[in-house]
Amino acid sequence: MQPNSSESREGPASDLQAYAVLLRSLNSEFNRIAHSFAQANELHATDVHALAAILDASANDGEPMTPSRLRERLDLTSGAVTACLDRLERAGHISRTRESADRRVVHLTYNSGARALAREYFSPLARSTEAARQKFTPEQLETIAEFLHALNSELTGER
């Protein structure tokens, strides 16, 4: 039997095109959910990306998010970041605080009430993620996590 276009002779796990399709599909679903959250909370799509970056900053590198790091992360102008942060702060999603040692440094904090709102909204995604995780062994999950880390490293290295 000849492999179809989405499978190589080694199977779908070794086919770059199959990975691309799966990643685009996953990205499309994430974007759909994020867009829905943005609409439900009268936010711009950029605002949702900013909230995710602020939320994930300390998990990624242990450092709090700052406006300049956010500008780099989202590849926006400083004016666009300021407008985004103004909207998020007015809506109660974030707070800006001055760092105590250097008052010029501003840290961005995702407010607890807004976190709870997002946690509730994204709970179906969390349940789906956990249901999918349950289908794999700890060793398989470790390999999946290594792949995702490697892919993210490659993508961020391209910036």
Side-chain angles (χ1 to χ4, degrees):
M1 179 174 165
Q2 284 287 62
N4 67 31
S5 63
S6 67
E7 292 185 351
S8 70
R9 290 178 194 195
E10 294 83 27
S14 64
D15 184 4
L16 182 59
Q17 182 181 2
Y19 271 98
V21 169
L22 291 169
L23 289 170
R24 281 193 301 270
S25 178
L26 181 63
N27 187 55
S28 178
E29 283 302 305
F30 282 155
N31 284 339
R32 181 188 58 76
I33 294 166
H35 182 73
S36 176
F37 178 77
Q39 283 186 320
N41 291 280
E42 299 178 2
L43 298 172
H44 294 242
T46 301
D47 298 348
V48 177
H49 292 295
L51 286 172
I54 293 166
L55 179 65
D56 295 344
S58 59
N60 285 337
D61 59 15
E63 298 292 324
M65 185 56 75
T66 64
S68 61
R69 287 182 63 213
L70 186 62
R71 183 188 63 73
E72 290 172 11
R73 177 76 177 102
L74 300 181
D75 195 25
L76 297 172
T77 66
S78 57
V81 167
T82 299
C84 173
L85 295 176
D86 287 347
R87 286 190 304 269
L88 291 172
E89 191 170 41
R90 266 193 316 271
H93 290 277
I94 67 159
S95 295
R96 295 181 229 196
T97 56
R98 299 263 176 207
E99 208 263 295
S100 59
D102 184 348
R103 301 286 297 152
R104 294 172 297 175
V105 177
V106 175
H107 290 168
L108 305 172
T109 307
Y110 201 150
N111 294 336
S112 60
R115 273 185 196 231
L117 175 75
R119 189 176 303 114
E120 180 181 330
Y121 192 90
F122 290 105
S123 63
L125 175 60
R127 283 192 302 273
S128 295
T129 302
E130 186 55 29
R133 282 174 29 89
Q134 294 300 318
K135 296 176 181 181
F136 297 91
T137 66
E139 294 78 18
Q140 290 171 318
L141 290 170
E142 184 64 33
T143 300
I144 293 166
E146 288 173 9
F147 170 76
L148 293 173
H149 283 293
L151 181 58
N152 283 326
S153 292
E154 290 292 329
L155 292 172
T156 56
E158 292 292 321
R159 278 193 230 156

